[in-house]
Amino acid sequence: MEQWGSLFNTHVKLLAFDLHSLTQTPSSSFSRRGIPLSRAEAVGTVTSRDLKPDRFLRFTLDDGTGCVSCILWLNQLSFPCSAQLPISPDVALIAASAAGFADLVQLGKVARVRGQITRFRGAVQITVSDVVIESDPNAEILHWLDCLNLARKCYDALPSPF
């Protein structure tokens, strides 16, 4: 695999404006300046929260450059096949983690999310795999600095695959 492919399964630190500037490839993945990406990390203040119990938590992070839509699925125990089979310990653990993350996400909190870059109704979003509520008041600005530094020294320094 080419050198640029090494970012594909990495949680790339992005600001909202970078996330919204990604282009979607024919294979339904995303790219930044021709470099394929599949996962992202974002930090921002929770500005909206829509909980559908046992289905999903949809929330928005505002990082100052824009808003990032996030979806956290809570339906791991209610898939149709789950009713016919015993629930595996892995699925139970994932469901418990997701429920815990949903409790953490509250309006006004600064959250760090990681997950899959996806598209819903034409807009880029993060399908969340984990959430951390930041206690450091500098977390958002430090994330900004990391994003700028990584873009300049790493992401933009990679050769284009084309």
Side-chain angles (χ1 to χ4, degrees), residues 87-108:
I87 296 170
S88 77
D90 292 341
V91 172
L93 182 60
I94 291 167
S97 294
F101 294 147
D103 290 341
L104 292 174
V105 176
Q106 299 296 325
L107 291 176

Side-chain angles (χ1 to χ4, degrees), residues 84-154:
Q84 299 168 356
L85 300 172
I87 296 170
S88 77
D90 292 341
V91 172
L93 182 60
I94 291 167
S97 294
F101 294 147
D103 290 341
L104 292 174
V105 176
Q106 299 296 325
L107 291 176
K109 298 281 187 181
V110 174
R112 178 180 306 274
V113 299
R114 285 184 173 183
Q116 189 82 23
I117 304 167
T118 55
R119 185 173 297 279
F120 179 69
R121 294 185 179 166
V124 175
Q125 69 177 9
I126 296 178
T127 300
V128 176
S129 57
D130 64 90
V131 177
V132 174
I133 300 302
E134 293 290 347
S135 58
D136 183 351
N138 298 312
E140 204 167 352
I141 193 67
L142 291 172
H143 179 76
W144 271 51
L145 293 171
D146 281 345
C147 289
L148 295 172
N149 191 35
L150 285 166
R152 185 179 42 214
K153 293 186 176 179
C154 182

Side-chain angles (χ1 to χ4, degrees), residues 45-130:
T45 302
V46 178
T47 57
S48 72
R49 185 179 193 279
D50 179 21
L51 176 65
K52 303 291 185 206
D54 299 323
R55 293 179 57 207
F56 62 84
L57 170 65
R58 180 172 299 286
F59 61 100
T60 305
L61 294 181
D62 185 342
D63 72 0
T65 69
C67 292
V68 177
S69 295
C70 301
I71 181 97
L72 174 63
W73 292 105
L74 304 171
N75 61 353
Q76 294 85 356
L77 300 178
S78 61
F79 285 129
C81 62
S82 298
Q84 299 168 356
L85 300 172
I87 296 170
S88 77
D90 292 341
V91 172
L93 182 60
I94 291 167
S97 294
F101 294 147
D103 290 341
L104 292 174
V105 176
Q106 299 296 325
L107 291 176
K109 298 281 187 181
V110 174
R112 178 180 306 274
V113 299
R114 285 184 173 183
Q116 189 82 23
I117 304 167
T118 55
R119 185 173 297 279
F120 179 69
R121 294 185 179 166
V124 175
Q125 69 177 9
I126 296 178
T127 300
V128 176
S129 57
D130 64 90

